[in-house]
Amino acid sequence: MPWPFKRKSLKQIARIEITGAIAGGTRKRVLEALKTVEQKKFPVLLLRIDSPGGTVGDSQEIYSALVKLREKVKIVASFGNISASGGVYIGMGAEHIVANPGTITGSIGVILRGNNIERLLDKIGVSFKVIKSGPYKDILAFDRELTEPEKTILQELIDTSYQQFVETVAQSRKLDVDVVKSFADGRIFTGEQAHNLGVVDRLGTEEDARCWAAELVGLDPEKTKSFTIEEPKPLLSRLLPGNLM
């Protein structure tokens, strides 16, 4: 005999918020939250992104997890004040994207920076003795200039990561790779410009995105609540009164 009551989560919108720089901690928290969405059988996920970007690998892992989750759950992304670089990469994991007209987004590209303080070290009489297993083991060392072969290696690394980013945007947004490359030069643009370029589907607020998410799975936007999935607090902090923490 079937259970007469539906699981509460089946009538709710799961909500996950990604804020700040994307790094290992972000990846761990979001991947755990995505597991919760799947385990509790939420029908749809509202992904709120307010991030300037972050590390390539962490952004790619979150994106891949979202794509996998889409086999079971509808996903709508909402871009907040800023959703750039890695924030865009993660957003590509959603089926639908909503941005405010003034959202700062874009910055599609990859960057690697190193510092060279060789002249400063010379002035204060500091030098380093380096013993290494290969010619490129100390690539990007701060006490010397890059060699031409090192520049070539690093440029190839950047170009490969960039191509992965471009292809991800093209595949997700159903755009030609050359079209994506025409605006994927590191520039930032507004949500309105992103809409014109095909990077986002609609202009609107997070509330608009929530209503769209509800409609996608046949829920009443006026009655459907969103449930924000947060990282569990340590047991001690849950037991102690809030004013003691």
Side-chain angles (χ1 to χ4, degrees):
M1 178 179 177
W3 185 249
F5 303 106
K6 282 189 176 181
R7 185 193 292 255
K8 188 176 181 180
S9 58
L10 293 175
K11 300 179 182 180
Q12 290 183 321
I13 299 169
R15 180 181 181 275
I16 296 175
E17 189 171 7
I18 299 176
T19 59
I22 299 161
T26 313
R27 171 184 51 78
K28 181 180 178 182
R29 177 180 62 81
V30 174
L31 293 185
E32 285 298 320
L34 293 177
K35 287 181 183 178
T36 300
V37 173
E38 183 176 3
Q39 290 169 355
K40 293 194 174 184
K41 300 185 183 301
F42 284 95
V44 62
L45 167 64
L46 174 60
L47 184 68
R48 177 67 170 182
I49 304 174
D50 208 332
S51 169
T55 52
V56 175
D58 293 309
S59 300
Q60 288 180 330
E61 284 199 38
I62 296 172
Y63 162 78
S64 297
L66 287 167
V67 171
K68 184 177 180 181
L69 183 65
R70 270 169 40 183
E71 298 173 3
K72 301 178 181 179
V73 178
K74 297 288 186 182
I75 303 176
V76 178
S78 168
F79 287 178
N81 291 315
I82 180 170
S83 183
S85 195
V88 173
Y89 207 122
I90 290 174
M92 294 301 105
E95 291 175 287
H96 309 288
I97 303 175
V98 179
N100 292 294
T103 293
I104 299 300
T105 186
S107 190
I108 299 171
V110 186
I111 185 172
L112 177 66
R113 293 188 63 182
N115 296 314
N116 180 9
I117 59 172
E118 182 179 6
R119 288 189 295 175
L120 174 61
L121 294 174
D122 286 342
K123 286 183 178 180
I124 60 177
V126 175
S127 62
F128 295 88
K129 302 298 182 184
V130 179
I131 300 172
K132 52 189 178 180
S133 59
Y136 306 119
K137 187 59 181 175
D138 65 339
I139 197 168
L140 282 177
F142 61 82
D143 61 329
R144 64 175 179 81
E145 185 61 72
L146 283 170
T147 65
E148 288 304 317
E150 287 174 332
K151 290 179 182 179
T152 299
I153 289 171
L154 293 175
Q155 189 61 58
E156 289 176 351
L157 182 151
I158 293 298
D159 291 344
T160 299
S161 296
Y162 170 74
Q163 187 65 26
Q164 292 168 359
F165 200 162
V166 168
E167 289 176 355
T168 296
V169 174
Q171 181 179 358
S172 173
R173 300 283 85 199
K174 296 179 173 58
L175 297 171
D176 187 82
V177 168
D178 288 334
V179 171
V180 176
K181 284 184 176 180
S182 70
F183 57 78
D185 52 8
R187 77 182 72 178
I188 57 173
F189 35 81
T190 66
E192 184 175 6
Q193 290 172 311
H195 181 249
N196 293 335
L197 292 169
V199 177
V200 304
D201 299 297
R202 294 183 184 179
L203 296 178
T205 63
E206 181 180 356
E207 176 62 14
D208 294 324
R210 187 195 66 80
C211 290
W212 192 10
E215 292 168 355
L216 286 173
V217 291
L219 297 175
D220 185 346
E222 299 298 324
K223 299 179 181 179
T224 304
K225 297 180 179 180
S226 59
F227 178 80
T228 300
I229 300 173
E230 300 177 314
E231 187 174 13
K233 295 180 180 179
L235 178 61
L236 183 60
S237 66
R238 282 182 277 154
L239 294 176
L240 292 174
N243 60 354
L244 295 181
M245 295 299 291

